[in-house]
Amino acid sequence: MKVNGLTKTIGLIGCPVEHTLSPMIHNHLSEVCGDNYVYLPFHVEKDNVEAAVKGSKALSVQGLNVTVPHKQAVMPYLVDIDEAARVIGAVNTLVPVDGGYKGYNTDMEGLRQAIHSEHIALQGRTVVILGAGGASKAVVYMCMLEGAKKVYLLNRTVNKAEEIAIAMNAHFGKGDVIVPMALEAYGDIHENDMIVFQATSIGLAPNVDDVVLSDVSFYKKVAVGVDLIYNPAETQFMKLVKAAGGVAYNGLKMLLYQGVIAYGYWTNRSFESLQPYCNEIYEKMYHSIHKLDNIVLIGFMGSGKSTVGMALAEKMGFAFLDTDAYIEKKAGMSISEIFENHGEGYFRELETNVIRELMETTNHTVFSTGGGMPLRDENASLLRLLGTTVYLQASAKETYERVKDDDKRPLLQCEDPYGRIVALLEERRPLYERASHLCIQTDGKTVESIVDEVIKQMEDLV
Ligand code: NDP
């Protein structure tokens, strides 16, 4: 990033702001879009909110995000407020207009884009929202926009839920869609197939074992659970949803998308035009929260994943883990037995579950992965979150030389093993590339020189 006389400032006001991930979003977007913006966090004490807003305008600050505890406090100092932000009663984005700033709530839009990206449709569905704090209002508003049939709003302090329900039911004029309830009255909801948003602060790291509701019978009625919390990546709430057979998501995409939408407001860009950059930013944010320094080796059979992996682990002082061996140990049978007894689909599902488990439980580890693991779309993204993913490449000729005498490779039990290697490599190369941060050509190189190249390229990546 080059700062010069034309650089425009955007930023964040809040208290505290020291742990924010937002600079990662906006400075990345500025760079990839070729804009000359720099995004800075500004620590603003509560008595200085008015001065911060007016001073920012005086300094021609081109856009601001607002975080806790100023999302409401900032509102009296704006010249205009978007309708959704006004009804939600919180502003998290300021866009310069004549005479000052206009306020928006992109938390709501960010959550909306996040659920769309996971193909969660609220139209005609029963929704439960746990919590009635600041973020919860944006969730309620979004549920109403998306056409939820019923929204049960549960809170420890029930009068806060009642206030929100009265205001939002009146605003949307759709009768009593939003039903306020005390948290402990959850047993009175007699519906199945529910979508639940977890919008309390319970379960946030470091209190990762806490959960606002722990009754398993509640989770049996949940089809989809969305936790607004993103640290840890899998909250206790999410674990309970999944254990009862539902699917669950955390709040990291919401956080990412609220930022991307704000950047779009500041630079007159649509969300769709910025969407292609989202995966890269998501990975950066994930790695910065979870600090996973694992290295994941992917590639075709014979590419040297195990040999290089063990040597790399030794040189870096990391543990080494072969995912196929790990799966065999967990399943209590060999991979060919898993294929025979349960089919390939079951094995691929096992692989996905294992990556998710390793994301939660490992660090300082070099992984050698099964050759088919990165081929599944979901696995390609997950592997890049597990650690720095390195694609070890080898030509068809070299691969053939390395594996031709190995009679334990089912893929090569055919009349023309060389032709099969050529065809499979051609088919898989783009899928391996898609899943990797780095590609390393291994033909004719020693294990030691490949290890050195991985380490060097990883240093250059940072
Ligand atoms: P608030 O402080 O405004 O609200 C906190 C909520 O949690 C209230 O409903 C409160 O209930 C409830 N709560 C707190 N402690 C308990 C407890 N011991 N038992 C039961 N309920 C409890 O926070 P926000 O609404 O701003 O944020 C809520 C969560 O959403 C946070 O974890 C935050 O990190 C996350 N968030 C995520 C975003 C994202 O982009 N992913 C964006 C914004 C928030 P009561 O009213 O009774 O006190």
Side-chain angles (χ1 to χ4, degrees), residues 198-220:
Q198 199 301 112
T200 76
S201 37
I202 309 283
L204 196 60
N207 304 312
V208 296
D209 294 327
D210 291 355
V211 64
V212 66
L213 284 183
S214 54
D215 185 346
V216 173
S217 66
F218 171 76
Y219 291 92
K220 287 192 178 138

Side-chain angles (χ1 to χ4, degrees), residues 127-418:
V127 174
V128 173
I129 301 172
L130 304 173
S136 170
K137 291 186 206 160
V139 184
V140 176
Y141 191 95
M142 189 224 31
C143 292
M144 296 303 282
L145 275 193
E146 292 284 296
K149 181 180 73 180
K150 205 82 191 161
V151 178
Y152 294 100
L153 180 60
L154 276 60
N155 201 39
R156 175 179 63 176
T157 316
V158 71
N159 68 314
K160 279 189 182 167
E162 283 163 357
E163 276 171 28
I164 298 174
I166 291 167
M168 293 272 186
N169 278 330
H171 175 76
F172 284 95
K174 288 187 191 163
D176 292 333
V177 173
I178 306 155
V179 181
M181 291 173 72
L183 191 57
E184 61 273 17
Y186 65 89
D188 297 346
I189 307 172
H190 300 290
E191 304 217 31
N192 288 312
D193 206 24
M194 301 187 303
I195 297 176
V196 181
F197 291 91
Q198 199 301 112
T200 76
S201 37
I202 309 283
L204 196 60
N207 304 312
V208 296
D209 294 327
D210 291 355
V211 64
V212 66
L213 284 183
S214 54
D215 185 346
V216 173
S217 66
F218 171 76
Y219 291 92
K220 287 192 178 138
K221 303 179 202 161
V222 179
V224 181
V226 180
D227 201 326
L228 267 57
I229 291 174
Y230 48 83
N231 187 13
E234 188 169 67
T235 59
Q236 188 61 24
F237 166 80
M238 291 167 66
K239 285 183 183 156
L240 287 167
V241 171
K242 286 182 184 176
V247 289
Y249 304 91
N250 67 27
L252 192 57
K253 277 198 176 165
M254 173 183 176
L255 179 71
L256 166 64
Y257 291 152
Q258 63 73 31
V260 172
I261 294 162
Y263 191 84
Y265 281 142
W266 299 328
T267 60
N268 265 324
R269 285 194 173 82
S270 66
F271 178 73
E272 289 68 32
S273 70
L274 297 171
Q275 214 165 11
Y277 309 119
C278 286
N279 275 352
E280 226 167 277
I281 305 172
Y282 183 86
E283 277 175 28
K284 275 193 184 182
M285 292 164 79
Y286 187 93
H287 282 294
S288 115
I289 298 168
H290 302 290
K291 304 202 173 14
L292 296 185
D293 60 1
N294 299 317
I295 304 169
V296 185
L297 302 182
I298 64 170
F300 197 55
M301 67 174 90
S303 59
K305 289 167 294 183
S306 303
T307 326
V308 171
M310 281 187 271
L312 182 62
E314 193 176 344
K315 185 143 188 172
M316 298 195 61
F318 278 24
F320 173 77
L321 191 148
D322 180 310
T323 58
D324 278 350
Y326 186 76
I327 290 171
E328 287 184 330
K329 197 168 165 209
K330 260 182 102 72
M333 62 180 101
S334 71
I335 288 176
S336 39
E337 282 167 341
I338 301 175
F339 269 71
E340 269 164 37
N341 295 341
H342 302 284
E344 179 172 355
Y346 178 82
F347 175 69
R348 298 291 168 214
E349 201 58 42
L350 272 185
E351 284 189 318
T352 305
N353 291 340
V354 159
I355 307 173
R356 287 190 186 283
E357 180 191 320
L358 295 172
M359 280 164 67
E360 289 292 313
T361 54
T362 55
N363 216 352
H364 303 296
T365 301
V366 177
F367 297 99
S368 164
T369 58
M373 195 180 241
L375 306 181
R376 207 179 194 201
D377 285 352
E378 190 180 3
N379 292 356
S381 321
L382 289 176
L383 286 170
R384 289 172 61 102
L385 297 177
L386 176 61
T388 306
T389 308
V390 183
Y391 170 24
L392 297 183
Q393 291 177 307
S395 66
K397 201 160 163 269
E398 176 110 359
T399 303
Y400 179 68
E401 287 305 319
R402 290 180 192 169
V403 300
K404 67 176 191 252
D405 299 325
D406 185 347
D407 56 8
K408 289 198 204 71
R409 307 232 179 225
L411 281 177
L412 302 183
Q413 308 306 315
C414 60
E415 265 182 28
D416 177 17
Y418 178 69

